Amino acid sequence: MSKAKTSKTATENRLLEERIPANQVVYSRQVLLGVGCGTAFLPAYLAHSVKSLEWTSLVNLPFFLIVPIITGIMLARAYASMIESEFWKRQKNYEVKGVDESLLRKLYLQVAFGYTVFFVNLFFLIVSTLLQAYILRNIDARAGYFIASTIAAASVWLLAQKNEESRQRRIRGGQAL
């Protein structure tokens, strides 16, 4: 009885190990980091053009190098979380006849990637611009740029984490979409 139970558990564990990689969303993390760093330069452009914060100055140069990298990393993590969440939210629980499953997965991933990049960037740029141009306009331009960029990126990252937690709760509660 004990041997049968052990072999059954070993078989179940092996099957589980085989199926876990099949349910992972595969995408390039470097692309997400590149998109995040590219988006993070838009508040730098705003600080340079509107606030007259010169990037050629040795005092300002670290801000223009470090802040976009930190912000880009936070945005890349927000993208990763939202892409997974959106991808699994869009997965259908039924079979589609006549369509290759790998092609369908790629299409779902493209839709999730596009949706995520658009809405995360939109939220980041709106919050960053509001903070930098209106709310923090009376403080030093360097501090306003640093605070606005990091707060906007952190809020987007937090929003993405909460979205994923909400999706996990719906799945555990039996309310999967």
Side-chain angles (χ1 to χ4, degrees):
M1 183 82 166
S2 175
K3 266 191 173 181
K5 197 174 198 180
T6 325
S7 67
K8 182 179 178 185
T9 305
T11 306
E12 288 175 352
N13 287 340
R14 185 183 52 79
L15 287 173
L16 183 62
E17 290 298 323
E18 288 174 1
R19 290 183 184 211
I20 286 175
N23 286 327
Q24 290 179 346
V25 180
V26 179
Y27 51 89
S28 174
R29 304 236 184 241
Q30 287 80 17
V31 170
L32 297 181
L33 186 60
V35 171
C37 287
T39 303
F41 272 106
L42 294 173
Y45 176 74
L46 181 69
H48 174 70
S49 64
V50 174
K51 298 277 197 151
S52 299
L53 190 63
E54 289 298 321
W55 65 272
T56 55
S57 169
L58 289 177
V59 175
N60 298 336
L61 190 59
F63 286 101
F64 283 103
L65 293 176
I66 294 171
V67 172
I69 291 171
I70 293 170
T71 305
I73 290 170
M74 283 193 260
L75 286 173
R77 291 186 179 181
Y79 295 147
S81 179
M82 284 286 287
I83 285 173
E84 296 250 347
S85 178
E86 286 300 316
F87 178 79
W88 291 116
K89 188 166 56 171
R90 293 177 188 283
Q91 283 291 344
K92 304 296 181 207
N93 294 328
Y94 53 87
E95 287 186 33
V96 179
K97 302 270 185 199
V99 178
D100 185 21
E101 279 191 41
S102 65
L103 176 65
L104 198 56
R105 267 181 82 86
K106 286 179 185 178
L107 291 174
Y108 282 145
L109 184 59
Q110 286 177 353
V111 168
F113 183 81
Y115 177 86
T116 296
V117 168
F118 176 75
F119 282 105
V120 167
N121 286 349
L122 180 69
F123 186 76
F124 170 75
L125 292 175
I126 287 173
V127 170
S128 177
T129 303
L130 286 175
L131 285 172
Q132 195 171 356
Y134 295 107
I135 297 172
L136 302 173
R137 69 174 175 245
N138 293 328
I139 67 171
D140 183 46
R142 287 182 295 266
Y145 165 57
F146 175 74
I147 292 169
S149 294
T150 53
I151 285 178
S155 64
V156 167
W157 189 15
L158 179 67
L159 183 68
Q161 292 297 323
K162 293 300 178 183
N163 184 30
E164 178 64 21
E165 288 173 10
S166 172
R167 187 187 69 81
Q168 290 292 334
R169 271 196 308 272
R170 282 195 309 264
I171 288 172
R172 277 187 236 118
Q175 301 171 1
L177 296 176

